[in-house]
Amino acid sequence: MKTTWQREDVTTHYLQQVRGGIPFGAEQAQMMLQVVNHFIKKPDIVMDLGCGNGFLAEILLRTYPTAKAICIDHSKPMIEQAKIHMEAYADRCELHVGDFSQSIRDFTEPNSVDCIVSGYAIHHLPREMKKSLYTDIYNLLKPGGIFINIEHTASASDKIEKLYDELFIDHLTAYNEGNREEIATRYYNRPDKADNILERVDIQVNWLREIGFNHADCYFKWMELAVFGGVK
């Protein structure tokens, strides 16, 4: 999967100027933990797909002190950032440069993972690859294991998408304390925009149900940002 995320400037811009400005980012992570803890009190193995700098894996390892993490990202610059960010967890965290558009079965055995999470990564895959990845996730999870996807999804209409864009720009402007017009220009002309292949959350939840996930639902949603998943 060749994308602009192989570029170090794109990676740096996202981590420094975008990630912290994502609306309700703390609430999304909190919801992830609440759902995970509701179904699994003490996960042994967690996996972070499209791990970036390890943000979600760090939350899980900090919350569950005996857990170990498998972190995968196709972006070499992101993995380099993860090596720095996750240094304190180096003995409990495997970092892999890997293209999960192909297969995640190379990284662990079927029925071996308690919790698989992903944050703003799977939306880069075309529709059929998304569905295939969700099937692979189901197969890697232990019975009772959980999948949580914090994701950028498609709006129901062009008008709602326009509102989302404007509100997102407002959040980025406040976070960066910058000029809104300049930030809007960068937002609409960002080099990674073409990498986004969005799908509505209700469609993706239905895919999970068809695959066999139980309790599949959207647990949190703000405009195009959603937290959804299911239990094997």
Side-chain angles (χ1 to χ4, degrees), residues 82-128:
K83 289 178 181 178
I84 298 170
H85 188 75
M86 298 294 286
E87 184 177 6
Y89 302 95
D91 60 333
R92 298 167 54 204
C93 182
E94 300 176 13
L95 297 173
H96 299 279
V97 176
D99 188 348
F100 58 78
S101 68
Q102 303 300 318
S103 176
I104 57 174
R105 290 169 292 179
D106 297 334
F107 299 100
T108 190
E109 297 296 320
N111 304 303
S112 66
V113 185
D114 298 285
C115 173
I116 298 178
V117 300
S118 184
Y120 300 112
I122 296 174
H123 69 275
H124 297 309
L125 301 180
R127 167 179 275 216
E128 292 306 314

Side-chain angles (χ1 to χ4, degrees), residues 5 9-26 28 53 55 78 119-120 123-124 152 164 167-177 182-184 186-188 190-193 196 222 225:
W5 291 98
D9 61 321
V10 173
T11 297
T12 300
H13 173 74
Y14 176 77
L15 293 177
Q16 293 182 355
Q17 299 184 39
V18 178
R19 186 67 181 89
I22 292 177
F24 301 101
Q28 294 163 20
N53 70 345
F55 174 74
M78 280 295 191
Y120 300 112
H123 69 275
H124 297 309
H152 186 185
Y164 163 80
L167 293 176
F168 196 93
I169 290 167
D170 288 342
H171 278 266
L172 290 180
T173 302
Y175 176 73
N176 291 287
E177 298 180 346
E182 293 176 356
I183 289 174
R186 288 199 298 269
Y187 175 83
Y188 286 116
R190 62 195 187 275
D192 60 297
K193 186 175 182 179
N196 293 342
W222 179 84
L225 310 183

Side-chain angles (χ1 to χ4, degrees), residues 47-181:
M47 178 179 280
D48 187 350
L49 302 178
C51 64
N53 70 345
F55 174 74
L56 294 182
E58 179 193 17
I59 292 173
L60 291 168
L61 293 180
R62 189 170 65 238
T63 303
Y64 303 105
T66 61
K68 295 184 178 180
I70 303 168
C71 297
I72 305 165
D73 203 293
H74 81 291
S75 168
K76 291 181 180 179
M78 280 295 191
I79 289 295
E80 290 304 313
Q81 290 294 322
K83 289 178 181 178
I84 298 170
H85 188 75
M86 298 294 286
E87 184 177 6
Y89 302 95
D91 60 333
R92 298 167 54 204
C93 182
E94 300 176 13
L95 297 173
H96 299 279
V97 176
D99 188 348
F100 58 78
S101 68
Q102 303 300 318
S103 176
I104 57 174
R105 290 169 292 179
D106 297 334
F107 299 100
T108 190
E109 297 296 320
N111 304 303
S112 66
V113 185
D114 298 285
C115 173
I116 298 178
V117 300
S118 184
Y120 300 112
I122 296 174
H123 69 275
H124 297 309
L125 301 180
R127 167 179 275 216
E128 292 306 314
M129 286 187 179
K130 286 185 178 75
K131 295 169 73 173
S132 178
L133 177 60
Y134 291 154
T135 299
D136 282 348
I137 288 170
Y138 183 85
N139 291 332
L140 291 189
L141 286 171
K142 296 177 183 177
I146 189 165
F147 166 55
I148 299 289
N149 192 9
I150 300 176
E151 186 60 297
H152 186 185
T153 66
S155 288
S157 70
D158 291 342
K159 282 197 172 184
I160 296 176
E161 180 182 353
K162 178 62 175 177
L163 175 60
Y164 163 80
D165 287 337
E166 293 300 309
L167 293 176
F168 196 93
I169 290 167
D170 288 342
H171 278 266
L172 290 180
T173 302
Y175 176 73
N176 291 287
E177 298 180 346
N179 178 279
R180 191 185 190 282
E181 185 175 344

